[in-house]
Amino acid sequence: MKKFFTAIPLQGPGQLHSQIYQAVGNTKLQLDQAVSFPILTAVNGYAESDDDIRVIAVVTDNTDARRNLGIFQDELNTICQKNGAHCSNGVEPVFIPEDDRVENQMSTFQKLIDFVDDDDELFLCMTFGTKPISQAMMMAIQYAYRVKRNASISCVVYGGLVRQEGKVVGSCAYDMTALVQMDEIVRKLADHGVTNPKEMIDRILSL
């Protein structure tokens, strides 16, 4: 099953803006309508007609995030209606405390891995959330890739804003999947005791 993971932003009222994200590195991320959540570029590009997808959102348990969760649900519905995809469970929230202490991040990781199964096709947006939350989400999809049978990571997306003189003049949806793949390569090189891993990595990067 295709499963999309994201974090809900903490912007206050009037601070969450829609953008038309220009795809960088992956044409499937091109979405020619304004959205507030970059994960929707992946939903639009990968969720096909009659797919029943799952969307899991990490939500800091406060008023701003809960309000933005409702906006996310509305925008997701619009994209699914456009593509003919289904999200039968709606957005599935994983509520977490505002405190970034490490035990809360470990709890977030544990909650997220309960969503992954064999044969899953996984997508992640690393745009929103604190750095520890992004790390916990990345760990969860890497766990699935390493442990679950036939699980794959199809796309990791990052939504970046282009600024000039302090003003937002554009936005991009970057495909960051290669970073995850490189992390896997480095781990495997270390596991196999490769004597000169840097040389091997340099060869891969030059391809």
Side-chain angles (χ1 to χ4, degrees):
M1 176 176 276
K2 294 174 183 176
K3 294 179 181 176
F4 299 80
F5 292 81
T6 191
I8 298 299
L10 296 172
Q11 277 90 334
Q15 297 177 342
L16 183 64
H17 301 296
S18 296
Q19 309 285 339
I20 296 178
Y21 287 91
Q22 301 300 316
V24 178
N26 183 349
T27 57
K28 283 194 170 186
L29 298 178
Q30 187 63 44
L31 174 58
D32 295 323
Q33 69 183 74
V35 292
S36 304
F37 307 87
I39 189 64
L40 295 175
T41 64
V43 173
N44 179 72
Y46 288 90
E48 300 174 350
S49 179
D50 293 329
D51 276 349
D52 194 3
I53 65 172
R54 293 182 70 180
V55 178
I56 298 94
V58 177
V59 186
T60 302
D61 199 0
N62 66 24
T63 301
D64 289 331
R66 285 180 176 270
R67 181 188 58 256
N68 292 335
L69 175 62
I71 298 171
F72 180 47
Q73 179 68 75
D74 291 342
E75 292 192 5
L76 173 64
N77 290 343
T78 299
I79 296 296
C80 286
Q81 289 171 6
K82 170 178 171 285
N83 287 8
H86 307 283
C87 188
S88 299
N89 296 334
V91 178
E92 300 175 67
V94 174
F95 288 103
I96 62 170
E98 293 184 82
D99 191 334
D100 272 334
R101 70 183 70 186
V102 68
E103 54 263 40
N104 290 337
Q105 307 310 320
M106 296 303 292
S107 175
T108 300
F109 168 74
Q110 187 172 23
K111 292 175 182 177
L112 291 174
I113 64 176
D114 287 340
F115 286 95
V116 298
D117 299 289
D118 293 342
D119 302 311
D120 278 346
E121 185 179 355
L122 304 171
F123 304 84
L124 170 68
C125 180
M126 55 188 297
T127 307
F128 298 126
T130 63
K131 290 180 176 66
I133 289 172
S134 292
Q135 182 67 23
M137 291 194 300
M138 187 70 74
M139 287 168 53
I141 67 166
Q142 287 178 307
Y143 162 88
Y145 175 75
R146 293 168 181 168
V147 175
K148 297 297 182 179
R149 180 180 57 83
N150 201 37
S152 61
I153 300 172
S154 288
C155 188
V156 176
V157 62
Y158 173 72
L161 300 180
V162 180
R163 291 183 171 88
Q164 290 181 2
E165 299 181 353
K167 295 181 180 179
V168 175
V169 296
S171 54
C172 296
Y174 296 96
D175 186 341
M176 310 299 287
T177 316
L179 290 180
V180 181
Q181 295 168 341
M182 181 55 66
D183 182 64
E184 290 297 320
I185 291 169
V186 170
R187 184 182 66 87
K188 290 178 180 178
L189 290 176
D191 287 346
H192 287 85
V194 174
T195 56
N196 192 344
K198 184 179 184 302
E199 180 181 347
M200 184 70 71
I201 290 169
D202 287 344
R203 289 180 184 176
I204 294 169
L205 292 176
S206 67
L207 295 176

